[in-house]
Amino acid sequence: MNFLFETLYAVHPLLPLAYLAILGNGLIGPAVYSALRGMPYDIGQIWTLAKSGQMGARYAVASWAALVTVTVFVLAIGVTR
């Protein structure tokens, strides 16, 4: 995690805060969705619900995708710097 935040800070001092927001959304969003639906935090079940068009499940999958995309992007920046 230190590598990610140092890389982001080297690009711009406010980028670590933006990453924290995306990280929080990617971790907390699906957990809140699962709690509100009264179901276990099951990635497979959330994925199935998202494919069937459940809006909350689609949001959970999108938040995971955003977290993965941003993390890979930051790692690529860090490796190439």
Side-chain angles (χ1 to χ4, degrees):
M1 289 301 285
N2 199 23
F3 175 76
L4 293 173
F5 288 111
E6 286 176 359
T7 300
L8 288 169
Y9 191 80
V11 174
H12 191 277
L14 293 178
L15 284 179
L17 291 175
Y19 184 78
L20 277 177
I22 294 169
L23 177 69
N25 187 42
L27 297 177
I28 303 291
V32 169
Y33 171 73
S34 297
L36 291 176
R37 294 257 322 176
M39 61 185 224
Y41 193 110
D42 181 13
I43 295 170
Q45 188 174 5
I46 293 173
W47 183 257
T48 303
L49 290 171
K51 287 195 309 188
S52 69
Q54 276 284 336
M55 200 59 156
R58 293 177 78 186
Y59 175 79
V61 170
S63 67
W64 285 327
L67 176 59
V68 168
T69 303
V70 169
T71 301
V72 168
F73 182 68
V74 171
L75 288 172
I77 289 173
V79 169
T80 58
R81 286 193 117 205

